[in-house]
Amino acid sequence: MDLSQRVIYQIYPRSFQDSNKDGIGDLPGIIKRLDYLKELGIDMIWLSPFYPSPQNDNGYDVSNYLEIDPMFGNMNDFDCLVAEAQTRGIDLMLDMVFNHTSIEHEWFRKALAGDPKYQDFYYLRSLKEDGSLPTNWESKFGGPAWAQFGETDLYYLHLYDKTQADLNWYNPRVRKELHEIVKFWMKKGVKGFRFDVLNVIGKSEVLIDSPEPGSKEEKALYTDTPIVHEWIKELNQATFGQDQDFVTVGEMSSTSVPSGILYTNPCQNQLSMIFSFHHLKVDYENGEKWSNPPFDFIELKRILNEWQQGMSDGNGWNALFLNNHDQPRANSRFGDPENYPFETASMLAQTIHFLRGTPYVYQGEEIGMSNPNFESIEQYHDVETHNYYHIMKEKGYTKNKIMAIIQAKSRDNSRTPIQWDRSQNAGFSKVEPWINVADNYLQVNVEDELKKGKIFRYYQKIIELRKNNELIQKGHYRGLMLDDPNFMVYVRESKNSKKLLVVSHFYEADCEFRMPEEFTHCKATKLIGNGKLSNIYEGQETLIFGPYETVAYLFE
Ligand code: GLC
Ligand code: CA
């Protein structure tokens, strides 16, 4: 299947469906729900990690890449999942966490036991002469990026949690091991990979201090370095590169459009597409995630436009998304799921799905799940959330302020169990789940949504449209009205002068939209919309949009 026709659904296994009454989602649970996903119309599932892990970062701390954590099932369950998905025309994409391993991985244990071969698998350094840490770098989860290596005088680098030790990709043995892991899963029938934080695998060869811990300059010391492209090419050629249909996506932290083009332009033989995150930092105060200002709409448009235009010009390819397991729910963030659940969800989905790239749906967004607004810190489990809870306390923030920020930003916002029905624990589990179910499950759940809701049906339609509409798949992208404070507007167009105009209203109050000049001389048919707007006649200059209304017009 062509990349431009695909729609990928992300499953966070722990929170999807429990099947054996331990309160944790699992692989057999996923199998039970495949028909639901088929009905939605997606054709690939990205599974967040289910490998053995001490679960300090919910499985992104892998201690064995070649097995299934018993918590999630066993290899038979996995094989069965591949086969059952296949019969429904759904492929699987696995998550490969290759920047770091858990410190419980055999390689790290052998390193700790003194084996020099495995010590060279990681970044081990001595303290500086003045007794300070090898560099002043900050971990992305807060605190220093170095931790003591057992009882020794050495320290190991961890850009994430201190139980996630960064792998030394300069060591060819490391790269070879990782290639073997990829091949192992390919043999099992996997058709795609998502590579976790792939653009930070190439630290500068000599590790040096940055001017300011956690600064941009610091990130530049280990992000998007030229060697990363070499290693991805090598991985591509050694493994999935032979299969034209294989789908790969790199999660790229703090990346740039020029790097994005290099990673994804087909001539480069690296990846199919990348996730970039700049558009999800428009509600950060001065670049600080742990803050809760209203989002900057003009900035959101500017960034999406920059990536759409830039990747299109450079023949790169974007992964399109607003939600994943690390992000708060987009409807809570950019809309009003309480008063306009359908309008918000459908507007955001349409805006994203009709861009140029491959859209991702994160579990639960197709029924309008929103942030749970937990009131106590004990209800949150995420390691990053807890670290920043303490950091904010040290900064002297009030308790109310801290909880308001966590309610807005915690990664657990998107990790609550899928709300399947009105039964106890929302049908996710027969026992108390590992994390609380959001309170609104009686209003928002799959069963009711399928019977009488409109969000799921809207997702179905836009997914179906992508499968059949060439403009959505391949049309050139052009952004319009970038300074307008109410509407996001863009065109997808083709050489034969067909155009698709997409207009999304991001606010509540009714608002007049002025047709751009170029469209006022033509009539158009409505392809799809979530409100009252219908076809437009030739010469029509204005349209009135309702709350969170979105519409796509076809000009032929
Ligand atoms: C990625 C994952 C995130 C994880 C981090 C470290 O950003 O999406 O969940 O914590 O990498 O592996
Ligand atoms: Ca279970």
Side-chain angles (χ1 to χ4, degrees), residues 17-26 71:
Q17 175 71 68
D18 179 22
S19 73
N20 63 343
K21 302 189 191 146
D22 63 356
I24 300 171
D26 45 53
M71 171 197 285

Side-chain angles (χ1 to χ4, degrees), residues 49 61 80 86 126 191 229 262 283 353 370 381 406 430 530:
D61 46 331
C80 177
Q86 206 68 69
S126 313
K191 291 289 192 289
H229 298 286
L262 280 180
D283 53 0
H353 279 242
S370 52
H381 298 252
I406 288 178
K430 296 262 187 278
N530 67 353

Side-chain angles (χ1 to χ4, degrees), residues 158-190:
H158 64 89
L159 290 180
Y160 295 85
D161 186 52
K162 60 176 182 301
T163 65
Q164 295 166 310
D166 282 56
L167 279 167
N168 172 20
W169 277 66
Y170 285 99
N171 181 349
R173 283 181 168 156
V174 168
R175 305 204 300 277
K176 184 88 195 1
E177 291 277 5
L178 300 177
H179 297 171
E180 293 308 315
I181 294 166
V182 166
K183 288 196 241 168
F184 172 86
W185 291 107
M186 284 179 71
K187 279 206 201 100
K188 292 222 151 258
V190 163

Side-chain angles (χ1 to χ4, degrees), residues 427-444:
F428 165 72
S429 177
K430 296 262 187 278
V431 302
E432 194 180 312
W434 71 275
I435 188 171
N436 292 0
V437 172
D439 285 343
N440 68 355
Y441 75 97
L442 295 176
Q443 292 85 50
V444 177

Side-chain angles (χ1 to χ4, degrees), residues 409-438:
K409 290 292 166 62
S410 172
R411 301 194 298 179
D412 280 344
N413 279 312
S414 53
R415 298 176 180 181
T416 61
I418 293 300
Q419 297 159 203
W420 292 106
D421 56 40
R422 292 160 154 268
S423 67
Q424 205 190 7
N425 304 319
F428 165 72
S429 177
K430 296 262 187 278
V431 302
E432 194 180 312
W434 71 275
I435 188 171
N436 292 0
V437 172

Side-chain angles (χ1 to χ4, degrees), residues 38 52 98 102 149 177 191 438 455 466 472 495 541:
K38 179 165 170 61
F98 284 172
S102 161
F149 183 59
E177 291 277 5
K191 291 289 192 289
I455 303 176
R466 172 166 289 269
I472 297 175
K495 288 199 191 83
E541 288 182 349

